[in-house]
Amino acid sequence: MSKLSALAKLRSQKKSNEGNKSVDILNRLTGDSPTPISRESIPRKLIIKENKPEPEINEVKEIPTKSIPNDTPKRKLDIDYSLSVDTSLMVEAKVYHETQKRHKINPSLYRLITNELDIETVKKNFSKESPDDKIENAQKQAFNQNFKNLTVDEKPKEVKVKDQKKIDTSKISKIYSKPHKSFVVIGHVDAGKSTLMGRILLDLGIVDIKTLNKLIKESESIGKGSFALAWVMDQTSEERARGVTIDIVSTNFETSKTRFTAIDAPGHKDFVPQMINGVCQSDFALLIVDSITGEFESGFNSSGQTKEHTIIARNSGVEKLCVVVNKLDKENWSEHRFEFIVDTMKDYLINEIGYEESQIDFIPLSGLSGNNVIKRESIDDFNWYKGPSLIEYLEDIEISTSTTDEITKEPFNLVINDIIEATNEVQIIGKIISGSISNGDAIKILPLDQTLKITKLKNDGKTVEFGIKGEIVELSVNKKQLENLDDVVIGDIITNSTKVETVETFECELSLFNLTKPLLIGTPFILFRSNFNLPCKLTKIVSTNGRKRKHLISNQQAVVQITIDSNRLLPLCKFDDDPILGKVVIRKEGTTIGAGKITKLSDA
Amino acid sequence: MKLIKQSFDKNSSGFTTLMPQDKEDLWQLYNLIQKNDEIKLQTTRNVAKNATKGASKQERKNVVLTINVEDIDYAPEDEVMRIRGKTTVANEFVPIQSYHTAEIQLNKSITVIKTEWDEINYDIVVKSCSIESKAEIGAIVFEEGVAHLCLVTDNLTVLRNKIEKSIPKKRRGDNSSHDKGLVKFYDLIISTMMRNFNLDNLKVIILASPGFLSSNLLSEIKGFAQKNDDKTIFKNISKFVTANCSTGYLQGLEEVLKDENIRKNLADTQFAQEVIIFEKFQKLLNDDDETAWYGPKECERAIQEGAVKQLLITDTLFRNNDIELRKHFISLVEQVKQQGGEVYIFSSLHDSGNQLDQLTGIAVILKYSMDLYSDDEE
């Protein structure tokens, strides 16, 4: 039995022993159930390939074809019609003779016919505008008028594609007066990540007591009363039934000083890919550790997630890490226990992971009771603690921010976190890694390499004019612009930089962690770049630090060539050009085995 | 494969007539037939209908040709194998020394004529013609948004289909789009499975994924069967096995095959053995106690010293067109067997064989540690 199922089982034991009978019943079924056959058709999306109509350009193309015939036929007219006039006159003459014979009518009614005369008049007539010419000229004129207008319209449009709208810097600084911070909550499974998030939202009034009471009722009804707060975050039926967070969920909230985006990450080993996704969207991380004797230790051993999560956080560019010592109420707010955990963690984070002491902080609290999260209860045993509460800490934490000047100069990069299909538009949600974007801009999606126009820009549900680095925005594009929605997947990059390329092969400086198996040439593994993962292979070891062997082992550093083992290409960029897109983490068989910085992109 | 007729001379030349029955047999034939062998088989050829009339009309004729093999192509995904070469025997329609490309057809006999049948060739014939029923496994390795459906036999891993679908992420407050996307994804997997897998013929169907997805898929499959009254699924429902792996990509399959519980279901399929021995090799290599080595030079030295416990070698090395080189590898295998060591021949169409291939295709596990490190740099 896998650990996960063991865990699920353990948790489900908490609830009443309602066995999963449906399976048994099904097994007993012989297959003669009387339900009528209703074969479900395969859900298939019909996407009509439709080019965006561009009438202006079509007409521009028509100018030469129209203007040339205008001249040439006129000259031809003389010749053509002088001939045709002859025959028609002959017919007319014949008729005239016949009628004269029969009726002897006054010949003056009929003009004397000579070729010369009539050809002159005919010529004169034809030198006038023919009805066709009239129409054509009118069209031409109308077209010219339109065309003049069109050029005026067209030019700025083209410029816009290349040159983004200048963002009002004063607006940016206004936003910066209330800084925006995003953080991710990570830690071992059952450390209380979701519960802490639920507590923050409840005490800040984002979630009202009524909702919570409902959740308490629901959770108690299946015997999981302590999960009520976690259920604020864990909302899929799957997650509630199993009592484990499966995927990340981000939530926005605001205090009087700061705007926050908080991301709750899953703690279980199987869902590390989702957790990596969360880490990539945040500026700093809260590492939750369970302070209960035995629980802290089990989360901290080599197979526990405390270590793996810190490694990933460190290698994904998380500069600040706050260790939240949770459930200290169960340890009677023991200062001794707190100090023990602080010492152990400090030793690990500084000596093994490579954090500076200034980058890490420690806060004791209880997520379930809520003490020291936002409110401070007067508990005598807790009087030793003089530091800030969690919310005070969150408001005061300093994260490196770019100046407005830097942001406007930087290339725009965004990693797609989510794609939502609506009736006639597609909403793309992602975090702006660098630069800025404004409504109406044209953007390029990689690896699809298609340019799209943004029709709507939203931030936290509100329509905004622009988005800047660090924000999580929602871009809407017209559905018609995308031929096939499945061409765009979560993890694709939206950019206007030329430094981001889609590649199949690249070189990177790899540092390896503890391996159970060596990394050989040809060894497959899963490569993570921000929130995207792909199967890859080690194809070449370019250089190693000293060791003269043909393969890589634990704790070794090497420059290696990696090839993507999939028909999909990966948009990447060099570490020097963008520290986030230039960083990769590699995992094999469910453990993180290394991290690397991309040094060379080669499309071999 | 059916063995129809066999005859060898004293100088170990001779012929064998075989009848391939499935794609696995084609792979065995691919390993058996080498350049400069002769094959005799019934094939179709476009022949000029009436030469006297001048205007040549082409006609397809069934002819029996004997071809000197120059080139073999095999695409396991399409189950097609083609052999190209010059005819060595003239017949009514086809003159001698004319080129012909023959497609090997299932359930049609083919005669392989070799000037020298060696141990490996002989083994292939014996093994492929054994009456033990062949185990074919279906595997669905998937995670949220990506699924791989493949068939695994003793010698091949064939990816039948890959599904990619983006599923909207869960959001606080509204999960309907996520749930809907997930249901659609499961439906897609099930319908693709029904199209690609013949459930009656498979020994076991592995559903492997991270987290709870695999057990969810199983209940979706049961639900699907109930809804559609699908008797094939009901009949084979006990064949479905769920397993846990860390990724939805094909690498996950290897992880699954190492799982004790799954292995019980698979009994002794060759692939599972390969995976385990390769795993052992990698572990020893990581321990760095000099009992695991790879590379032709190192392995040769180890074999000369008689220190080899297990020899890992891929079939690619035997497919070598250089006869001398092939003989050399065969003699290495013989030596190890004589010394009492075990020999594992990896199929390069499995992932572990493919990995070994990239490590020069030959590796050894020693009885005792030995420094075989050769100083020469590439």
Side-chain angles (χ1 to χ4, degrees), chain A residues 38 235 238-239 251 270 548, chain B residues 170 172-173 211 216 228 373:
Chain A
S38 64
Q235 293 196 318
E238 181 83 46
E239 289 175 322
T251 241
D270 274 17
K548 230 173 141 198
Chain B
K170 78 164 185 184
R172 207 168 70 77
N216 288 353
N228 296 301
Y373 190 64

Side-chain angles (χ1 to χ4, degrees), chain A residues 1-2 4 8 23 26-27 29 31-33 35-40 42 201 206-207 232-236 238-239 242 244-249 251 270-271 277 417-420 429 474 488 490 515-518 520-522 524-526 533-537 547-551 553-554 566-567 589-590, chain B residues 143-144 162 164-175 177-179 184 187-188 191 195 209-212 215-216 222-224 226-231 234 237 244-247 249 251 254-255 258 261 278-279 281-283 285-286 288 290 292-295 298 351 354-355 358-359 373 375 377-378:
Chain A
M1 192 189 291
S2 76
L4 183 62
V23 176
L26 181 71
N27 282 337
L29 279 176
D32 299 323
S33 74
T35 44
I37 298 169
S38 64
R39 203 165 283 279
E40 219 177 347
I42 310 152
L201 295 186
I206 315 287
V207 174
V232 172
M233 304 305 284
D234 292 351
Q235 293 196 318
T236 64
E238 181 83 46
E239 289 175 322
R242 315 256 182 192
V244 198
T245 308
I246 291 174
D247 204 351
I248 56 161
V249 60
T251 241
D270 274 17
F271 310 120
N277 182 1
N417 290 330
D418 202 357
I419 300 160
I420 297 165
I429 299 166
E474 191 181 308
V488 182
I490 290 164
L515 313 183
T516 51
K517 278 188 249 167
L520 308 162
I521 288 177
F525 48 79
I526 304 285
N533 64 77
L534 266 183
C536 283
K537 258 183 196 163
R547 268 179 65 98
K548 230 173 141 198
R549 283 292 285 269
K550 286 181 267 175
H551 57 263
I553 56 155
S554 297
S566 162
N567 47 13
E589 287 164 11
Chain B
E143 63 184 41
E144 233 179 77
K162 183 179 177 183
E164 274 177 297
K165 183 149 186 53
S166 25
I167 298 170
K169 296 271 170 190
K170 78 164 185 184
R171 302 175 103 183
R172 207 168 70 77
D174 176 29
N175 282 309
S177 58
H178 170 261
D179 292 349
K184 265 189 195 167
D187 282 353
L188 200 58
S191 59
R195 260 185 287 131
S209 78
F212 316 106
S215 49
N216 288 353
K222 285 177 180 168
F224 173 86
Q226 265 181 336
K227 207 162 111 196
N228 296 301
D229 199 14
D230 192 315
K231 294 211 171 91
F234 279 126
I237 200 83
N244 197 281
C245 62
S246 69
T247 172
Y249 292 101
Q251 298 174 16
E254 238 186 299
E255 276 175 53
K258 282 173 209 152
N261 292 323
F278 193 65
E279 168 98 358
F281 167 74
Q282 285 183 308
K283 280 228 169 83
L285 205 57
N286 194 51
D288 211 15
E290 300 185 328
W293 295 90
Y294 60 92
E298 288 84 348
D351 204 32
N354 194 4
Q355 283 178 52
Q358 295 190 46
L359 289 176
Y373 190 64
D375 284 323
E377 288 288 296
E378 297 138 56

Side-chain angles (χ1 to χ4, degrees), chain B residues 359-371:
Chain B
L359 289 176
T360 69
I362 182 164
V364 288
I365 296 173
L366 303 184
K367 292 171 190 158
Y368 45 85
S369 62
M370 238 175 108
D371 185 12

